[in-house]
Amino acid sequence: MSANQRTLSIIKPDAVACNEIGAILSKFEEAGLVIVACKMMHLTEKQAGEFYAVHKERPFFGELVEFMTSGPVLVQVLEGVDAIAKNREVMGATDPSKAEKGTIRNEFAKSVGENAVHGSDAPDTAKTEIAFFFKENEICERT
Ligand code: GDP
């Protein structure tokens, strides 16, 4: 059964630096995802570390935090039918060399680390990640 869902999306510093915000937001909209909240921010080391705490023990954690704090990001909430899975499909695989043609990571990612976008991977993480960045009254009714 399909359901209306919300998911947390981040356009990462590499894509913001390359002026690819508009092209990436278009990919979401073309896939039927609706932007219901959006803000630009420069993450602190503390915010990036907390957001990616699940990866704390991974060898790339330091690099990940350094990258995510290297410049501004655009954080948005996307809404739509099966938004979590749909966003992951539009994003493509973590490693851009494995991402399908036409996906965001295929077109815009530089490497497995600097890979243009983040997207929640499940309903529980989507809820936590949305609450990490947005208060409920900062998210707009669109659908
Ligand atoms: P995602 O859900 O597709 O973003 O992938 P993961 O949850 O596995 O990893 C989270 C993020 O950590 C990725 O999007 C990358 O930015 C980063 N990352 C994952 N693997 C590596 C790696 O091997 N090296 C580096 N530098 N970063 C990585």
Side-chain angles (χ1 to χ4, degrees), residues 30-42:
E30 281 160 14
L33 293 163
V34 174
I35 299 159
V36 293
C38 186
K39 66 179 161 192
M40 183 173 268
M41 57 196 295
H42 196 142

Side-chain angles (χ1 to χ4, degrees), residues 10-28 40 67 72 74 76 103-110 114-117:
I10 304 177
I11 301 181
K12 295 184 179 182
D14 57 328
V16 172
C18 291
N19 230 10
E20 291 161 344
I21 290 173
I24 292 174
L25 292 180
S26 290
K27 293 270 192 197
F28 298 141
M40 183 173 268
F67 164 57
L74 197 80
Q76 51 278 323
T103 60
I104 293 170
R105 282 166 166 172
N106 168 257
E107 290 186 15
F108 303 108
K110 322 262 174 303
E114 305 201 1
N115 58 4
V117 280

